[in-house]
Amino acid sequence: MKKIFTLACMTAFALGAMAQSNGFYHIQNTLTKRYMVLVDNQGSADTSGNVDMEACKTCMDLDQVSVHPGSVFYIENISGSAYNVKAQGASLAALSGNKLQVQITAGGDGYELWGSYSGVTVFIGDAEKKKQRSEEYETWSYIKEAGTENRYWKLHAIDNSTHYIGIEPDCEAAGAYWGTMKAGFAFKLHSSGMEAYYVDAVDNSSFSLKKWDKDVIPESMPVIIKCSSNNPAKNIIKPVTDSASEPSDNCLSGRFFDIDEPNHRNYKTYDASSMRTIGEEGGKLVFKKASSSDLTDGKYCVHNKCYLMDLPSSCADVLYEGTGTGIQSVMKSSKVADDAIYTLSGVRLQKGVTPRPGVYVQNGKKIVIK
């Protein structure tokens, strides 16, 4: 197994002298200029000190980063020099099974991220892959052990200006732009002219759209956003730590991940017989069968987007906005979700392990194990 240590775990302690600065950040390598993006929640660590966390990719294109919720990390002080990093419904430190003890020191043009594991001290950096016959770095890469130059990182606070998270519209219909979002953080609508909706009922030919009239959209809530523009920079959402609850009648589903790589296969294959995605038909907002161009690799549900899933075969190919009341209970009984269980501090429990009695978080909601 390659020895790959993730910046995500390193940044779990990444503030050092900035101990007062809990908040949401973009994390950028000073050499390659690429930003960290969490694209999977699967990782592993063995007793020999090998850690595989290629779930942490890096991306140079700030336009791509700015519309990817996996680029938004909440950095939170635990105690002393210890920090946690949360993104996409996961605790990134838990990807190593909480085996890494990580520290940070100022150096170079940013921070050196390092930790000791199985008696070995490792500095963390971005892979220095370059394009063929060019000195330019590739747009996408991944986290690896650092050399002497690629181990410095900057933390950019999400400021709703240069560093923001915006909604990229999925379609234009009914005189407006529409996008969908399932974010691993609670958020507020920041740009003017934006409104939030969800689907509260569905039948064989129609769906009912309900406006979300509260200030905060809950963490992990699949939601439809009526945008003010086709430009994500004018459709900014503001990550917040406020708590809120998803409505029990929300029929939308979504996933944080759509990756299909060796050792990291975390996706939902799109099924045209039982799924519909938001779109336009005859100038109207609809849910309809997706085309291959609407999907990741032509076949997977796109990360952080929303769908109607588990529809019966009797459903029409195109669902129009209407009253939609007939099959809501069928959808809710089998709504797709990420079923991982986390402690209140964000530590992901291993699959197959029976939790001890206590309070945990699953699918964005608190559960009590007795």
Side-chain angles (χ1 to χ4, degrees):
M1 179 188 298
K2 292 183 295 182
K3 187 180 289 185
I4 299 173
F5 292 77
T6 177
L7 171 62
C9 289
M10 301 302 106
T11 53
F13 298 80
L15 294 185
M18 302 167 60
Q20 311 302 318
S21 302
N22 290 3
F24 295 94
Y25 291 86
H26 281 155
I27 305 168
Q28 183 185 28
N29 188 270
T30 60
L31 176 66
T32 67
K33 308 303 181 184
R34 290 185 290 235
Y35 296 86
M36 191 179 81
V37 182
L38 182 68
V39 300
D40 182 24
N41 61 0
Q42 306 296 319
S44 63
D46 63 29
T47 57
S48 300
N50 295 311
V51 179
D52 173 16
M53 290 186 174
E54 292 188 23
C56 293
K57 302 294 186 184
T58 54
C59 180
M60 185 184 299
D61 188 345
L62 187 56
D63 287 340
Q64 293 186 55
V65 169
S66 296
V67 297
H68 199 311
S71 71
V72 178
F73 293 88
Y74 184 69
I75 302 178
E76 176 184 33
N77 181 248
I78 300 172
S79 64
S81 62
Y83 283 81
N84 194 8
V85 173
K86 301 176 182 178
Q88 297 281 65
S91 170
L92 301 187
L95 292 183
S96 69
N98 295 303
K99 293 179 180 178
L100 286 172
Q101 299 296 317
V102 185
Q103 302 294 324
I104 179 171
T105 53
D109 193 26
Y111 292 99
E112 290 178 297
L113 307 173
W114 57 276
S116 296
Y117 179 55
S118 294
V120 178
T121 297
V122 179
F123 288 87
I124 306 307
D126 191 8
E128 296 183 57
K129 296 166 57 181
K130 294 183 178 182
K131 297 177 180 178
Q132 292 183 354
R133 294 183 293 276
S134 172
E135 291 301 314
E136 295 181 0
Y137 290 107
E138 295 181 357
T139 300
W140 282 92
S141 191
Y142 54 87
I143 301 304
K144 61 172 290 182
E145 290 184 63
T148 58
E149 296 182 342
N150 65 332
R151 69 191 191 194
Y152 302 110
W153 302 86
K154 288 186 176 180
L155 305 178
H156 301 282
I158 302 297
D159 57 11
N160 301 321
S161 179
T162 301
H163 294 279
Y164 66 89
I165 182 69
I167 304 293
E168 186 170 30
D170 298 296
C171 65
E172 183 180 4
Y177 294 99
W178 302 85
T180 64
M181 173 65 76
K182 176 184 170 71
F185 48 81
F187 64 90
K188 297 181 180 181
L189 303 178
H190 179 75
S191 298
S192 61
M194 300 175 72
E195 295 176 345
Y197 295 84
Y198 68 96
V199 174
D200 65 344
V202 182
D203 61 28
N204 284 335
S205 61
S206 64
F207 65 94
S208 174
L209 202 61
K210 186 172 183 178
K211 187 173 182 179
W212 180 253
D213 56 6
K214 297 181 181 179
D215 189 37
V216 176
I217 290 93
E219 177 182 340
S220 300
M221 175 180 171
V223 65
I224 299 170
I225 305 295
K226 185 178 181 181
C227 300
S228 59
S229 169
N230 65 345
N231 181 0
K234 297 182 179 180
N235 303 325
I236 295 176
I237 59 177
K238 179 182 179 180
V240 296
T241 57
D242 307 50
S243 60
S245 298
E246 180 181 349
S248 60
D249 58 347
N250 190 3
C251 296
L252 294 170
S253 293
R255 292 180 55 84
F256 292 134
F257 309 114
D258 58 357
I259 186 170
D260 182 12
E261 295 182 3
N263 301 320
H264 295 279
R265 302 191 185 282
N266 197 339
Y267 54 80
K268 176 71 175 178
T269 301
Y270 180 81
D271 183 354
S273 68
S274 62
M275 299 181 186
R276 302 292 183 270
T277 186
I278 198 168
E280 177 273 338
E281 190 78 22
K284 298 180 180 180
L285 184 69
V286 301
F287 275 86
K288 62 181 182 178
K289 290 185 177 181
S291 63
S292 60
S293 61
D294 298 323
L295 305 171
T296 299
D297 295 334
K299 54 185 176 180
Y300 304 132
C301 294
V302 179
H303 65 84
N304 301 105
K305 293 295 186 179
C306 303
Y307 300 83
L308 293 177
M309 299 184 179
D310 302 297
L311 297 168
S313 58
S314 57
C315 255
D317 290 354
V318 179
L319 304 177
Y320 292 89
E321 185 180 356
T323 56
T325 59
I327 59 174
Q328 176 187 6
S329 60
V330 174
M331 293 180 57
K332 293 299 287 184
S333 65
S334 55
K335 183 177 177 179
V336 172
D338 295 324
D339 292 325
I341 298 176
Y342 301 86
T343 67
L344 292 181
S345 62
V347 176
R348 186 177 188 269
L349 301 187
Q350 293 183 353
K351 292 181 180 180
V353 175
T354 301
R356 296 180 179 179
V359 180
Y360 298 87
V361 177
Q362 186 177 39
N363 300 329
K365 299 180 176 61
K366 289 185 179 180
I367 60 173
V368 178
I369 304 295
K370 297 182 179 180

